[in-house]
């Protein structure tokens, strides 16, 4: 996922359980679609394929558009790029209105249950299982299952596996005589040592992504839950009524005093330049940070950074959370289903994934075992690829049930209250858990 295009706020989930589409809205959408469906042949004999893409994946979308057209004469791929918090609404409105404005829909994997439940994604189970060229067993299982599955059926294919690892500043560590932390308790101690020694010079031990949207405060929490819990996260209903969940939230609170000020106002947009300028000792971030850290035009720490798996808790193990992450599915209203299938298979193929993970700025990470282990990826990002190979196969999912978007919003709200000092870590987890039980009824 590109570090340049992750910004947005989390949305409330509109599904057929909660979304009331007015007759006026549906009629307007129907009229808008009367000019001709997607996938139809134009007067020039050219086929049109309409693809809905989230803004964080715009770079990858442009590559997919150009490469697919180059390999498919007579096909015009029309990519519509929208903020990620509009993908779900647009897909559901399109399905409910029957206008068929989109053939292929890219989605943040946490919304797979909501989209499937709302009939906004086609069930592609038989195709995926029956087409050997897709090579489904090659997908990293920790990525494939949460990205694509709902109630035993397949609704998409992964195109970008996203997780956080720990980046650190070697010079800051050497100045303060600290080692790379392997536990979260060590992480806090290292942060404390650095901040107390260098705060006066504008250097801090960590950058805690605490701003209230999913890709920031949510990622910070799930990083800890995934590596502190003795059991895998349940993507239908992550167990927040546990000691591990409270410890994960408390670890955020304990790190905050030694973090880049002020955590509630720090997102990746604020944290990234501080790390690249040499003002932060540690940052939990997406793997493509390693490429930007080596770019002398934007980094003052070229060859001065290191990368490691996230620390773990007493009962946890080396892992990570699937922070962000994208898949592609097919609209039930696609006017050319075969062409839509070709595009989704192309976008998730080994060759395309390998190209994207070795292209600076694509924002794409490995989705297949073959690309994770490929020589091209290892040569392109040697330090990061080694850590990714250790983490991605064990990465843990966020919620993916139909209620997931609302569940994540609830979690973010309570974590923010916790960082404000309004509630304790235990209260934040209990309030979120209680709200989740109400949503699931």
């Amino acid at each position: 996922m590109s570090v340049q295009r992750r910004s947005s706020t989390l949305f409330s989930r509109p599904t057929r359980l909660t979304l009331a589409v007015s007759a006026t809205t549906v009629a307007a959408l129907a009229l808008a679609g009367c000019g001709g469906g997607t996938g139809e042949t134009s007067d020039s004999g050219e086929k049109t394929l309409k693809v809905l893409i989230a803004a964080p994946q715009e770079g990858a979308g442009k590559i997919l558009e150009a490469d697919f057209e180059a390999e498919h004469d007579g096909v015009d791929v029309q990519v519509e790029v929208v903020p990620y918090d509009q993908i779900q609404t647009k897909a559901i409105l399109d399905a409910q209105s029957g206008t068929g404005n989109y053939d292929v829909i890219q989605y943040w994997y946490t919304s797979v249950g909501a989209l499937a439940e709302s009939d906004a994604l086609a069930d592609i189970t038989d195709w995926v299982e029956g087409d050997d060229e897709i090579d489904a067993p090659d997908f990293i299982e920790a990525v494939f299952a949460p990205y694509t599955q709902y109630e035993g059926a397949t609704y998409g294919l992964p195109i970008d596996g996203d997780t956080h690892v720990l980046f650190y500043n070697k010079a800051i560590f050497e100045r303060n005589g600290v080692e790379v932390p392997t536990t979260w308790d060590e992480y806090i101690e290292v942060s404390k040592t650095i901040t107390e020694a260098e705060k006066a010079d504008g250097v801090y031990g960590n950058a805690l992504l605490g701003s209230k949207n999913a890709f920031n405060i949510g990622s910070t929490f799930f990083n800890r839950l995934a590596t502190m819990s003795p059991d895998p996260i349940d993507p239908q209903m992550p167990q927040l009524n546990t000691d591990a969940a409270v410890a994960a939230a408390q670890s955020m609170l304990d790190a905050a005093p030694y973090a880049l000020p002020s955590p509630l106002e720090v997102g990746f947009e604020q944290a990234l330049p501080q790390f690249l300028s040499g003002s932060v000792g540690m940052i939990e971030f997406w793997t493509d940070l390693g490429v930007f850290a080596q770019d002398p035009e934007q980094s003052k720490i070229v060859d001065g950074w290191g990368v490691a798996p996230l620390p773990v808790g007493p009962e946890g193990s080396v892992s990570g959370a699937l922070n962000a992450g994208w898949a592609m599915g097919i609209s039930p209203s696609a006017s050319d289903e075969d062409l839509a299938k070709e595009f989704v298979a192309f976008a998730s193929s080994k060759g395309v994934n390998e190209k994207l993970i070795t292209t600076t700025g694509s924002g794409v990470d490995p989705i297949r075992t073959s690309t994770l282990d490929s020589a091209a990826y290892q040569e392109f990002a040697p330090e990061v690829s080694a850590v990714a190979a250790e983490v991605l196969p064990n990465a843990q999912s966020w919620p993916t049930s139909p209620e997931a978007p609302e569940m994540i919003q609830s979690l973010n709200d309570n974590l923010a209250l916790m960082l404000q000092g309004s509630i304790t870590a235990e209260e934040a987890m209990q309030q979120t858990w209680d709200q989740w039980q109400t949503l699931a009824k």
Side-chain angles (χ1 to χ4, degrees):
M1 187 176 183
S2 171
V3 298
Q4 297 172 321
R5 292 185 297 271
R6 289 190 174 102
S7 180
S8 193
T9 56
L10 193 67
F11 51 96
S12 296
R13 175 178 66 91
T15 72
R16 68 181 174 193
L17 302 176
T18 59
L19 176 67
V21 182
S22 70
T24 302
T25 301
V26 173
L29 286 169
L31 287 172
C34 287
T38 62
E40 295 182 351
T41 303
S42 67
D43 292 340
S44 63
E46 193 174 64
K47 287 186 175 181
T48 300
L49 184 75
K50 279 196 141 181
V51 182
L52 186 63
I53 293 277
Q57 291 284 295
E58 183 178 4
K62 290 178 178 178
I63 294 172
L64 292 173
E65 176 184 356
D67 287 3
F68 190 79
E69 288 180 347
E71 294 188 16
H72 296 76
D73 289 338
V75 174
D76 175 28
V77 179
Q78 297 182 358
V79 173
E80 181 180 345
V81 179
V82 300
Y84 88 90
D85 54 356
Q86 294 182 17
I87 289 282
Q88 185 174 312
T89 302
K90 281 183 172 288
I92 292 173
L93 285 172
D94 192 52
Q96 292 184 343
S97 67
T99 54
N101 285 325
Y102 307 109
D103 299 303
V104 174
I105 298 167
Q106 185 197 53
Y107 59 91
W108 181 25
Y109 81 92
T110 60
S111 64
V112 64
L115 289 168
E117 183 72 12
S118 300
D119 298 323
L121 292 175
D123 182 340
I124 57 174
T125 307
D126 292 342
W127 170 54
V128 172
E129 293 180 352
D131 190 334
D132 291 340
E133 291 188 6
I134 292 176
D135 195 10
D138 185 41
F139 287 112
I140 300 168
E141 180 58 26
V143 172
F144 181 79
Y147 277 44
T148 68
Q149 302 297 296
Y150 177 63
E151 294 189 340
T154 301
Y155 287 91
L157 290 177
I159 62 168
D160 178 21
D162 274 329
T163 191
H164 277 187
V165 292
L166 183 69
F167 289 91
Y168 59 93
N169 184 302
K170 292 180 179 179
I172 293 176
F173 272 42
E174 290 173 2
R175 289 199 305 266
N176 289 278
V178 295
E179 301 292 332
V180 180
T182 58
T183 70
W184 287 109
D185 286 345
E186 292 173 357
Y187 173 91
I188 293 166
E189 287 303 314
V190 169
S191 295
K192 180 180 179 181
T193 297
I194 293 170
T195 299
E196 290 184 346
E198 303 199 34
K199 179 180 178 180
D201 297 322
V203 175
Y204 296 87
N206 74 80
L208 192 74
L209 305 187
S211 70
K212 201 178 73 172
N213 71 43
F215 294 158
N216 290 310
I217 200 169
S219 295
T220 299
F221 173 75
F222 277 105
N223 284 346
R224 287 156 177 76
L225 183 62
T227 53
M228 287 185 167
S229 177
D231 304 309
I233 295 174
D234 178 358
Q236 296 304 304
M237 183 63 67
Q239 299 296 309
L240 298 190
N241 59 342
T242 63
D243 291 342
V246 173
Q250 185 64 49
S251 178
M252 294 172 62
L253 269 180
D254 293 343
Y258 315 112
L260 184 71
S262 298
L264 273 170
E265 300 173 2
V266 173
F268 56 82
E269 306 99 322
Q270 293 77 33
L272 178 62
Q274 293 298 316
F275 182 76
L276 295 178
S277 70
S279 299
V280 171
M282 296 178 290
I283 186 171
E284 303 152 46
F285 216 87
W286 291 271
T287 57
D288 54 357
L289 173 54
V291 177
F292 290 91
Q294 283 299 100
D295 181 358
E297 293 188 2
Q298 56 186 323
S299 173
K300 295 182 180 179
I301 58 171
V302 174
D303 295 328
W305 58 275
V307 60
L310 294 174
V312 301
E315 297 184 89
S317 58
V318 172
S319 179
L322 293 170
N323 301 331
W326 306 91
M328 275 188 177
I330 297 171
S331 169
S333 303
S335 58
D336 192 331
E337 183 181 342
D338 289 339
L339 187 61
K341 285 179 177 178
E342 280 191 61
F343 187 84
V344 171
F346 174 82
S348 62
S349 67
K350 175 183 177 181
V352 169
N353 187 234
E354 184 172 82
K355 176 177 181 177
L356 292 175
I357 65 176
T358 56
T359 299
T360 300
S362 75
V364 171
D365 294 313
I367 54 172
R368 292 178 173 271
T369 300
S370 58
T371 56
L372 181 62
D373 296 337
S374 73
Y377 181 49
Q378 292 170 0
E379 181 179 352
F380 178 74
E383 296 89 353
V384 168
S385 63
V387 175
E390 190 175 356
V391 171
L392 260 176
N394 303 308
Q396 302 290 309
S397 173
W398 291 28
T400 61
S401 65
E403 299 77 25
E406 290 167 331
M407 291 167 66
I408 295 168
Q409 183 66 68
S410 169
L411 173 65
N412 292 347
D413 291 342
N414 286 310
L415 289 173
L417 289 172
M418 179 191 73
L419 288 181
Q420 289 172 2
S422 300
I423 57 177
T424 66
E426 186 173 3
E427 289 169 339
M429 293 299 96
Q430 189 61 54
Q431 287 182 189
T432 305
W433 179 253
D434 291 344
Q435 291 161 359
W436 283 11
Q437 304 316 298
T438 300
L439 288 170
K441 290 181 180 179

